[in-house]
Amino acid sequence: QVQLVESGGGLVQAGGSLRLSCAASGLTFSNYAVGWFRQAPGKEREFVAPISWNGDSTYYTDSVKGRFTISRDNTKNAVYLQMNSLKPEDTAVYYCARSGYSSGRRYRSDYDYWGQGTQVTVSS
């Protein structure tokens, strides 16, 4: 069974931190880029950050640069998103997804497997 499972979401005050995890099972993870996306209520799902297959290349959407860090551990089939200095506008459901490519991509159409999401709520 192919699964991507996100965890680590929750309720946090503005300025706080959370670390999201994405665990994969039933599919090859280590040869492919993985990305984090988020979807706020009433808005489209948006790109947050991808990481290349070996972790050497990452980039971020402008609104999270300097605050979020994406990383991966291929020995554990896992990808992480460290989120610091959280703001109320970061409130969303966060999704991880596996790309069909080895390098990071920003478009949803470049990703073939998705998790169910984890809720992050930042209070002011």
Side-chain angles (χ1 to χ4, degrees):
Q1 183 182 1
V2 173
Q3 269 193 317
L4 290 179
V5 179
E6 302 93 339
S7 61
L11 173 63
V12 64
Q13 288 190 329
S17 298
L18 285 173
R19 188 189 192 216
L20 305 184
S21 298
C22 172
S25 61
L27 76 163
T28 301
F29 210 51
S30 57
N31 296 337
Y32 298 95
V34 175
W36 285 97
F37 291 74
R38 66 185 181 185
Q39 187 166 16
K43 294 189 177 182
E44 299 250 332
R45 192 172 300 186
E46 65 171 356
F47 158 81
V48 176
I51 186 165
S52 61
W53 71 278
N54 60 357
D56 283 356
S57 177
T58 63
Y59 56 94
Y60 303 88
T61 193
D62 286 346
S63 61
V64 309
K65 281 180 183 175
R67 300 188 298 121
F68 290 11
T69 303
I70 188 171
S71 62
R72 68 189 298 162
D73 184 343
N74 285 340
T75 66
K76 297 181 178 178
N77 242 16
V79 172
Y80 309 98
L81 186 67
Q82 178 67 44
M83 305 186 297
N84 298 329
S85 302
L86 283 160
K87 304 176 181 181
E89 51 264 42
D90 294 318
T91 294
V93 177
Y94 283 70
Y95 299 88
C96 69
R98 195 204 76 168
S99 171
Y101 302 90
S102 58
S103 60
R105 305 295 175 109
R106 66 185 305 127
Y107 298 107
R108 290 172 56 184
S109 58
D110 291 328
Y111 292 82
D112 48 12
Y113 293 100
W114 292 81
Q116 293 300 306
T118 185
Q119 176 71 48
V120 171
T121 303
V122 185
S123 62
S124 57

